[in-house]
Amino acid sequence: MTAIVIIVIALVVIVAAVWWSRQKAVAHQRNQLEDAKAEARRWVERLGGQVLNLVGTNEAAKQALADAAERHGAAVSQLDQARTAAQARLTTESALEGLYYVRAARIAMDIDPGPELPDLSGQRGAGSVTEYREVEVEGHPQVASPNPTEQTPHYYPGGTVAGRPVPQGWYSEPWWKPALVAGAWGVGSLVLMSALFGGMAGIPAEAAYADGLGAGGDPGIDAANAGGDGGFDQGEFDMGGIDQGGIDMGGFDL
């Protein structure tokens, strides 16, 4: 009888210990979520204030603020749906990306860009455009610049898109958006990346020579000529049937 009582007591102690451990884990996760959501909310509110109070005075600033407003809308939705700390941190990332667009708009309008922002995920590894470069691919001009110009009104803060680094800089067209929509890059986009970034200081090899293009890869693209006349023949490239979200890239089909 005594042995049975001891076993029962031991089982009760074990069950209580497991229950207490689980409660502590749940409380810890709840605290992590609350802290992450509070941090995300701070950045979302900061972005919202900037979007409401700024008006673009030129094409580059207007485009950057439109992108900032889009990221703000996405961040608000993400914050409402966040159920884990990881999801809340993704909200913070969206808000920070929007603030980079705001910062770009301020730079385009020649006003104080404000304080520095934390790095975005993959931003440093993607590098930055360090020189003005204009190339022609399949008869279509594409321009990249470290600064906003009339030819480069589209800003990207830098980071990883569909597994590929896209450098921070200003561009004539948002050629990375089809990959955001489809979640994959077409071969034509990889050729464009090689043309725009090949041999440019501050650009990692992964962006300049995607999948070996121009770096000894079999397509035979000479990266040394990437910034030249852009004599790439893309007529035979198969884009794999990727739906690019209906984005018209102005005559250059990515």
PDB file of all heavy atoms in Angstrom, residues 85-107:
ATOM      1  N   ALA A  85       6.631  35.551 -32.302  1.00  0.00           N
ATOM      2  CA  ALA A  85       7.669  36.589 -32.285  1.00  0.00           C
ATOM      3  C   ALA A  85       8.343  36.705 -33.646  1.00  0.00           C
ATOM      4  O   ALA A  85       8.694  37.799 -34.088  1.00  0.00           O
ATOM      5  CB  ALA A  85       8.699  36.268 -31.198  1.00  0.00           C
ATOM      6  N   ALA A  86       8.517  35.571 -34.334  1.00  0.00           N
ATOM      7  CA  ALA A  86       9.155  35.593 -35.654  1.00  0.00           C
ATOM      8  C   ALA A  86       8.306  36.389 -36.642  1.00  0.00           C
ATOM      9  O   ALA A  86       8.832  37.160 -37.449  1.00  0.00           O
ATOM     10  CB  ALA A  86       9.363  34.169 -36.160  1.00  0.00           C
ATOM     11  N   GLN A  87       6.990  36.218 -36.586  1.00  0.00           N
ATOM     12  CA  GLN A  87       6.105  36.967 -37.473  1.00  0.00           C
ATOM     13  C   GLN A  87       6.145  38.460 -37.144  1.00  0.00           C
ATOM     14  O   GLN A  87       6.101  39.308 -38.048  1.00  0.00           O
ATOM     15  CB  GLN A  87       4.680  36.436 -37.355  1.00  0.00           C
ATOM     16  CG  GLN A  87       4.502  35.043 -37.936  1.00  0.00           C
ATOM     17  CD  GLN A  87       3.123  34.462 -37.652  1.00  0.00           C
ATOM     18  OE1 GLN A  87       2.432  34.893 -36.730  1.00  0.00           O
ATOM     19  NE2 GLN A  87       2.724  33.472 -38.435  1.00  0.00           N
ATOM     20  N   ALA A  88       6.242  38.795 -35.885  1.00  0.00           N
ATOM     21  CA  ALA A  88       6.338  40.196 -35.488  1.00  0.00           C
ATOM     22  C   ALA A  88       7.653  40.801 -35.978  1.00  0.00           C
ATOM     23  O   ALA A  88       7.691  41.972 -36.392  1.00  0.00           O
ATOM     24  CB  ALA A  88       6.234  40.328 -33.976  1.00  0.00           C
ATOM     25  N   ARG A  89       8.715  40.023 -35.951  1.00  0.00           N
ATOM     26  CA  ARG A  89      10.000  40.533 -36.453  1.00  0.00           C
ATOM     27  C   ARG A  89       9.950  40.772 -37.959  1.00  0.00           C
ATOM     28  O   ARG A  89      10.600  41.685 -38.472  1.00  0.00           O
ATOM     29  CB  ARG A  89      11.126  39.562 -36.082  1.00  0.00           C
ATOM     30  CG  ARG A  89      11.512  39.621 -34.602  1.00  0.00           C
ATOM     31  CD  ARG A  89      12.785  38.852 -34.325  1.00  0.00           C
ATOM     32  NE  ARG A  89      12.595  37.413 -34.406  1.00  0.00           N
ATOM     33  CZ  ARG A  89      12.251  36.650 -33.380  1.00  0.00           C
ATOM     34  NH1 ARG A  89      12.035  37.194 -32.189  1.00  0.00           N
ATOM     35  NH2 ARG A  89      12.108  35.341 -33.513  1.00  0.00           N
ATOM     36  N   LEU A  90       9.192  39.969 -38.680  1.00  0.00           N
ATOM     37  CA  LEU A  90       9.000  40.220 -40.107  1.00  0.00           C
ATOM     38  C   LEU A  90       8.257  41.535 -40.330  1.00  0.00           C
ATOM     39  O   LEU A  90       8.511  42.252 -41.305  1.00  0.00           O
ATOM     40  CB  LEU A  90       8.221  39.063 -40.747  1.00  0.00           C
ATOM     41  CG  LEU A  90       8.982  37.749 -40.932  1.00  0.00           C
ATOM     42  CD1 LEU A  90       8.057  36.680 -41.498  1.00  0.00           C
ATOM     43  CD2 LEU A  90      10.191  37.941 -41.855  1.00  0.00           C
ATOM     44  N   THR A  91       7.347  41.857 -39.430  1.00  0.00           N
ATOM     45  CA  THR A  91       6.654  43.142 -39.492  1.00  0.00           C
ATOM     46  C   THR A  91       7.644  44.286 -39.332  1.00  0.00           C
ATOM     47  O   THR A  91       7.578  45.292 -40.060  1.00  0.00           O
ATOM     48  CB  THR A  91       5.580  43.223 -38.394  1.00  0.00           C
ATOM     49  OG1 THR A  91       4.647  42.163 -38.561  1.00  0.00           O
ATOM     50  CG2 THR A  91       4.851  44.551 -38.439  1.00  0.00           C
ATOM     51  N   THR A  92       8.551  44.141 -38.388  1.00  0.00           N
ATOM     52  CA  THR A  92       9.592  45.159 -38.190  1.00  0.00           C
ATOM     53  C   THR A  92      10.421  45.328 -39.451  1.00  0.00           C
ATOM     54  O   THR A  92      10.736  46.449 -39.860  1.00  0.00           O
ATOM     55  CB  THR A  92      10.504  44.769 -37.016  1.00  0.00           C
ATOM     56  OG1 THR A  92       9.738  44.746 -35.803  1.00  0.00           O
ATOM     57  CG2 THR A  92      11.656  45.751 -36.854  1.00  0.00           C
ATOM     58  N   GLU A  93      10.758  44.214 -40.097  1.00  0.00           N
ATOM     59  CA  GLU A  93      11.544  44.262 -41.332  1.00  0.00           C
ATOM     60  C   GLU A  93      10.793  45.036 -42.419  1.00  0.00           C
ATOM     61  O   GLU A  93      11.383  45.858 -43.130  1.00  0.00           O
ATOM     62  CB  GLU A  93      11.847  42.841 -41.799  1.00  0.00           C
ATOM     63  CG  GLU A  93      12.761  42.752 -43.007  1.00  0.00           C
ATOM     64  CD  GLU A  93      14.233  42.901 -42.664  1.00  0.00           C
ATOM     65  OE1 GLU A  93      14.556  43.034 -41.455  1.00  0.00           O
ATOM     66  OE2 GLU A  93      15.058  42.888 -43.585  1.00  0.00           O
ATOM     67  N   SER A  94       9.493  44.805 -42.549  1.00  0.00           N
ATOM     68  CA  SER A  94       8.701  45.515 -43.548  1.00  0.00           C
ATOM     69  C   SER A  94       8.666  47.016 -43.257  1.00  0.00           C
ATOM     70  O   SER A  94       8.784  47.849 -44.170  1.00  0.00           O
ATOM     71  CB  SER A  94       7.274  44.964 -43.588  1.00  0.00           C
ATOM     72  OG  SER A  94       7.256  43.629 -44.051  1.00  0.00           O
ATOM     73  N   ALA A  95       8.496  47.355 -41.982  1.00  0.00           N
ATOM     74  CA  ALA A  95       8.461  48.768 -41.606  1.00  0.00           C
ATOM     75  C   ALA A  95       9.806  49.436 -41.848  1.00  0.00           C
ATOM     76  O   ALA A  95       9.868  50.575 -42.338  1.00  0.00           O
ATOM     77  CB  ALA A  95       8.049  48.905 -40.139  1.00  0.00           C
ATOM     78  N   LEU A  96      10.883  48.747 -41.528  1.00  0.00           N
ATOM     79  CA  LEU A  96      12.216  49.309 -41.760  1.00  0.00           C
ATOM     80  C   LEU A  96      12.469  49.508 -43.254  1.00  0.00           C
ATOM     81  O   LEU A  96      13.054  50.519 -43.663  1.00  0.00           O
ATOM     82  CB  LEU A  96      13.284  48.382 -41.165  1.00  0.00           C
ATOM     83  CG  LEU A  96      13.450  48.435 -39.653  1.00  0.00           C
ATOM     84  CD1 LEU A  96      14.428  47.358 -39.192  1.00  0.00           C
ATOM     85  CD2 LEU A  96      13.946  49.811 -39.211  1.00  0.00           C
ATOM     86  N   GLU A  97      12.021  48.557 -44.054  1.00  0.00           N
ATOM     87  CA  GLU A  97      12.174  48.713 -45.501  1.00  0.00           C
ATOM     88  C   GLU A  97      11.428  49.964 -45.966  1.00  0.00           C
ATOM     89  O   GLU A  97      11.943  50.736 -46.792  1.00  0.00           O
ATOM     90  CB  GLU A  97      11.643  47.478 -46.225  1.00  0.00           C
ATOM     91  CG  GLU A  97      11.898  47.507 -47.725  1.00  0.00           C
ATOM     92  CD  GLU A  97      11.448  46.232 -48.413  1.00  0.00           C
ATOM     93  OE1 GLU A  97      11.163  45.243 -47.717  1.00  0.00           O
ATOM     94  OE2 GLU A  97      11.384  46.243 -49.662  1.00  0.00           O
ATOM     95  N   GLY A  98      10.228  50.172 -45.428  1.00  0.00           N
ATOM     96  CA  GLY A  98       9.479  51.380 -45.775  1.00  0.00           C
ATOM     97  C   GLY A  98      10.217  52.639 -45.368  1.00  0.00           C
ATOM     98  O   GLY A  98      10.220  53.642 -46.102  1.00  0.00           O
ATOM     99  N   LEU A  99      10.873  52.615 -44.220  1.00  0.00           N
ATOM    100  CA  LEU A  99      11.623  53.780 -43.764  1.00  0.00           C
ATOM    101  C   LEU A  99      12.846  54.035 -44.647  1.00  0.00           C
ATOM    102  O   LEU A  99      13.262  55.191 -44.803  1.00  0.00           O
ATOM    103  CB  LEU A  99      12.036  53.597 -42.305  1.00  0.00           C
ATOM    104  CG  LEU A  99      10.897  53.780 -41.301  1.00  0.00           C
ATOM    105  CD1 LEU A  99      11.306  53.292 -39.913  1.00  0.00           C
ATOM    106  CD2 LEU A  99      10.464  55.250 -41.238  1.00  0.00           C
ATOM    107  N   TYR A 100      13.403  52.994 -45.216  1.00  0.00           N
ATOM    108  CA  TYR A 100      14.494  53.196 -46.179  1.00  0.00           C
ATOM    109  C   TYR A 100      13.975  53.914 -47.425  1.00  0.00           C
ATOM    110  O   TYR A 100      14.668  54.775 -47.990  1.00  0.00           O
ATOM    111  CB  TYR A 100      15.127  51.854 -46.564  1.00  0.00           C
ATOM    112  CG  TYR A 100      16.308  51.484 -45.700  1.00  0.00           C
ATOM    113  CD1 TYR A 100      16.149  50.645 -44.603  1.00  0.00           C
ATOM    114  CD2 TYR A 100      17.583  51.969 -45.978  1.00  0.00           C
ATOM    115  CE1 TYR A 100      17.234  50.304 -43.792  1.00  0.00           C
ATOM    116  CE2 TYR A 100      18.665  51.631 -45.186  1.00  0.00           C
ATOM    117  CZ  TYR A 100      18.485  50.802 -44.091  1.00  0.00           C
ATOM    118  OH  TYR A 100      19.561  50.477 -43.300  1.00  0.00           O
ATOM    119  N   TYR A 101      12.764  53.580 -47.838  1.00  0.00           N
ATOM    120  CA  TYR A 101      12.173  54.293 -48.975  1.00  0.00           C
ATOM    121  C   TYR A 101      11.917  55.754 -48.612  1.00  0.00           C
ATOM    122  O   TYR A 101      12.111  56.656 -49.441  1.00  0.00           O
ATOM    123  CB  TYR A 101      10.873  53.616 -49.411  1.00  0.00           C
ATOM    124  CG  TYR A 101      11.080  52.360 -50.223  1.00  0.00           C
ATOM    125  CD1 TYR A 101      10.747  51.110 -49.722  1.00  0.00           C
ATOM    126  CD2 TYR A 101      11.613  52.438 -51.510  1.00  0.00           C
ATOM    127  CE1 TYR A 101      10.934  49.954 -50.470  1.00  0.00           C
ATOM    128  CE2 TYR A 101      11.804  51.287 -52.264  1.00  0.00           C
ATOM    129  CZ  TYR A 101      11.465  50.057 -51.735  1.00  0.00           C
ATOM    130  OH  TYR A 101      11.665  48.916 -52.484  1.00  0.00           O
ATOM    131  N   VAL A 102      11.472  56.001 -47.388  1.00  0.00           N
ATOM    132  CA  VAL A 102      11.273  57.377 -46.935  1.00  0.00           C
ATOM    133  C   VAL A 102      12.601  58.126 -46.949  1.00  0.00           C
ATOM    134  O   VAL A 102      12.685  59.278 -47.412  1.00  0.00           O
ATOM    135  CB  VAL A 102      10.666  57.404 -45.518  1.00  0.00           C
ATOM    136  CG1 VAL A 102      10.713  58.818 -44.936  1.00  0.00           C
ATOM    137  CG2 VAL A 102       9.229  56.899 -45.540  1.00  0.00           C
ATOM    138  N   ARG A 103      13.618  57.489 -46.445  1.00  0.00           N
ATOM    139  CA  ARG A 103      14.941  58.107 -46.425  1.00  0.00           C
ATOM    140  C   ARG A 103      15.401  58.439 -47.846  1.00  0.00           C
ATOM    141  O   ARG A 103      15.965  59.512 -48.100  1.00  0.00           O
ATOM    142  CB  ARG A 103      15.925  57.151 -45.738  1.00  0.00           C
ATOM    143  CG  ARG A 103      17.341  57.702 -45.561  1.00  0.00           C
ATOM    144  CD  ARG A 103      18.208  56.672 -44.844  1.00  0.00           C
ATOM    145  NE  ARG A 103      19.588  57.128 -44.758  1.00  0.00           N
ATOM    146  CZ  ARG A 103      20.059  57.933 -43.813  1.00  0.00           C
ATOM    147  NH1 ARG A 103      19.242  58.371 -42.867  1.00  0.00           N
ATOM    148  NH2 ARG A 103      21.320  58.300 -43.811  1.00  0.00           N
ATOM    149  N   ALA A 104      15.148  57.520 -48.780  1.00  0.00           N
ATOM    150  CA  ALA A 104      15.509  57.757 -50.179  1.00  0.00           C
ATOM    151  C   ALA A 104      14.740  58.945 -50.743  1.00  0.00           C
ATOM    152  O   ALA A 104      15.293  59.765 -51.491  1.00  0.00           O
ATOM    153  CB  ALA A 104      15.230  56.504 -51.006  1.00  0.00           C
ATOM    154  N   ALA A 105      13.461  59.050 -50.389  1.00  0.00           N
ATOM    155  CA  ALA A 105      12.654  60.178 -50.867  1.00  0.00           C
ATOM    156  C   ALA A 105      13.206  61.495 -50.346  1.00  0.00           C
ATOM    157  O   ALA A 105      13.268  62.497 -51.083  1.00  0.00           O
ATOM    158  CB  ALA A 105      11.197  59.997 -50.433  1.00  0.00           C
ATOM    159  N   ARG A 106      13.605  61.519 -49.102  1.00  0.00           N
ATOM    160  CA  ARG A 106      14.169  62.741 -48.523  1.00  0.00           C
ATOM    161  C   ARG A 106      15.472  63.122 -49.212  1.00  0.00           C
ATOM    162  O   ARG A 106      15.736  64.306 -49.473  1.00  0.00           O
ATOM    163  CB  ARG A 106      14.359  62.556 -47.020  1.00  0.00           C
ATOM    164  CG  ARG A 106      13.058  62.339 -46.254  1.00  0.00           C
ATOM    165  CD  ARG A 106      13.310  62.037 -44.784  1.00  0.00           C
ATOM    166  NE  ARG A 106      13.757  63.214 -44.078  1.00  0.00           N
ATOM    167  CZ  ARG A 106      12.961  64.061 -43.435  1.00  0.00           C
ATOM    168  NH1 ARG A 106      11.639  63.842 -43.417  1.00  0.00           N
ATOM    169  NH2 ARG A 106      13.435  65.098 -42.816  1.00  0.00           N
ATOM    170  N   ILE A 107      16.271  62.120 -49.506  1.00  0.00           N
ATOM    171  CA  ILE A 107      17.520  62.384 -50.231  1.00  0.00           C
ATOM    172  C   ILE A 107      17.212  62.943 -51.617  1.00  0.00           C
ATOM    173  O   ILE A 107      17.864  63.887 -52.078  1.00  0.00           O
ATOM    174  CB  ILE A 107      18.363  61.099 -50.326  1.00  0.00           C
ATOM    175  CG1 ILE A 107      18.904  60.718 -48.947  1.00  0.00           C
ATOM    176  CG2 ILE A 107      19.506  61.265 -51.329  1.00  0.00           C
ATOM    177  CD1 ILE A 107      19.603  59.375 -48.904  1.00  0.00           C
TER     178      ILE A 107
END
